[in-house]
């Protein structure tokens, strides 16, 4: 399982009813491996990325803990104002059979004042079937229902492989519990996939802190351990380490070398050598842009690439010429023949959007407090202007992305 085909979100903050990509079974245009979301401040871009973080947090930490994260403030603050009913997510994932994507549905609501999972479904067509509704291989409501063991069973009735279950803790997803059992391989694969999602909220000052020495294989969400990850890569994956140094050096004029160094008190320093200076610089005195380029180079050279990356406003702190180059790096990373990563980015920069194609960009707006999203490839004049050589960022700046979105039927 390596790609998200589509997502539908209901009642999550300003996302009262938002669908992206393939939101009907085996129908519609799937989300690309690289997708960029643009729009005014407050249009729902950050909320969209946080929705992915919320699903992952529900899996890893439980529903109540996910709701009560400081930046979320509890279930009542998460549920769309003026709406009743559960917060729900429906996610479409690819599988080996393109006509049989896997659909994961979760609904979360208050029961006696506590947020719990009230519905959790996993659906997929049997192997070789191209018509008809997908069958459920996990169907839980309020923690009770059935799960079907094993892989596909040709010709068997649905109940032949079914096991009745009842979960004691409605705060935990069935995916978290059953995803530990080898007898449920599809659930295990989906759990492993979502657990590896990564949302980047890089803070340059976090990268300037001197961490304790010690190799770490994965970058944290704020980039505070970038020196530890470089230490790990230098020791274990020298080729990736050299690729990172080369990529950053190409973007930062005069930069010759980056090396992790251990201080006497076992703190980890990042040494930067530059042309024209006899003494090195360290991360405390490096610019925001240099540290950001370093963090993104680490992400793109992960020897065990994550299947999904969400990155908010990567252009902040970067010189204008680096912004488009970074966008091309992201797109190239997802377009490689053996690409395993899907990247979603939010941006306010037309220079970043200049590097993209119309089917990679969605413009988000808010109408009466509800977020909407429209793929710019579906705006009448955009593709024609792009074919004539006018890049998307220039079109955006010139206000060509002007189609007025409509709210879904039945919504306030």
């Amino acid at each position: 399982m390596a790609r998200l085909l589509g997502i539908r979100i209901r009642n999550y903050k300003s996302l009262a009813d938002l669908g992206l990509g393939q939101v009907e079974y085996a129908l519609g245009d799937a989300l690309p491996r690289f997708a960029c979301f643009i729009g005014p401040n407050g249009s729902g871009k950050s909320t969209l990325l946080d929705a992915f973080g919320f699903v992952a947090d529900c899996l890893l930490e439980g529903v109540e803990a996910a709701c009560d994260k400081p930046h979320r403030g509890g279930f009542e603050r998460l549920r769309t104002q003026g709406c009743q009913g559960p917060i729900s997510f429906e996610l479409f994932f690819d599988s080996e059979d393109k006509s049989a994507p896997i659909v994961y549905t979760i609904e979360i609501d208050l029961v006696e004042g506590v947020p719990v999972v009230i519905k959790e479904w996993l659906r997929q067509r049997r192997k070789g079937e191209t018509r008809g509704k997908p069958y459920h291989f996990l169907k839980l409501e309020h923690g009770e229902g059935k799960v079907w063991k094993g892989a596909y069973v040709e010709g068997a009735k649905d109940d032949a492989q079914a096991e009745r279950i009842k979960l004691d803790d409605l705060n935990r997803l069935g995916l978290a519990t059953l995803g530990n059992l080898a007898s449920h391989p599809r659930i295990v694969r989906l759990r492993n996939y979502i657990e590896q999602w990564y949302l980047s909220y890089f803070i340059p000052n976090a990268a300037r802190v001197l961490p304790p020495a010690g190799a770490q294989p994965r970058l944290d969400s704020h980039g505070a351990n970038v020196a530890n990850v470089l230490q790990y890569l230098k020791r274990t994956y020298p080729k990736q380490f050299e690729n990172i140094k080369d990529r950053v050096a190409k973007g930062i004029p005069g930069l010759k070398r980056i090396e992790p160094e251990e201080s006497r008190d076992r703190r980890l320093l990042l040494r930067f050598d530059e042309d024209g200076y006899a003494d090195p610089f360290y991360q405390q005195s490096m610019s925001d842009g240099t540290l950001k380029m370093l963090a993104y180079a680490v992400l793109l050279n992960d020897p065990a690439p994550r299947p999904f990356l969400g990155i908010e406003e990567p252009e902040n702190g970067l010189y204008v010429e680096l912004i488009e180059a970074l966008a091309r790096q992201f797109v190239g990373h997802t377009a490689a023949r053996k690409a395993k990563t899907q990247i979603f980015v939010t941006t306010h920069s037309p220079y970043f959007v200049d590097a993209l194609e119309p089917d990679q960009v969605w413009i988000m707006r808010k109408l009466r407090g509800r977020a909407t999203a429209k793929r710019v490839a579906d705006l009448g004049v955009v593709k024609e202007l792009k074919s004539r050589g006018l890049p998307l960022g220039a079109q955006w700046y010139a206000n060509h992305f002007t189609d007025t979105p409509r709210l879904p039927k039945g919504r306030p």
Side-chain angles (χ1 to χ4, degrees), residues 167-183:
L167 301 179
D168 291 332
D169 186 1
L170 297 184
N171 180 55
R172 304 292 298 178
L173 296 178
L175 199 68
T177 303
L178 300 169
N180 290 316
L181 303 176
S183 57

Side-chain angles (χ1 to χ4, degrees), residues 210-231:
L210 304 184
Q216 297 178 18
R218 287 287 179 85
L219 195 67
D220 67 25
S221 62
H222 294 122
N225 67 335
V226 64
N228 303 90
V229 178
L230 287 171
Q231 185 183 34

Side-chain angles (χ1 to χ4, degrees), residues 116-129:
V116 298
V117 184
I118 62 168
K119 179 187 287 187
E120 188 173 9
W121 290 357
L122 271 171
R123 293 170 287 157
Q124 188 177 30
R125 284 186 182 135
R126 289 188 181 88
K127 188 175 182 179
E129 290 184 346

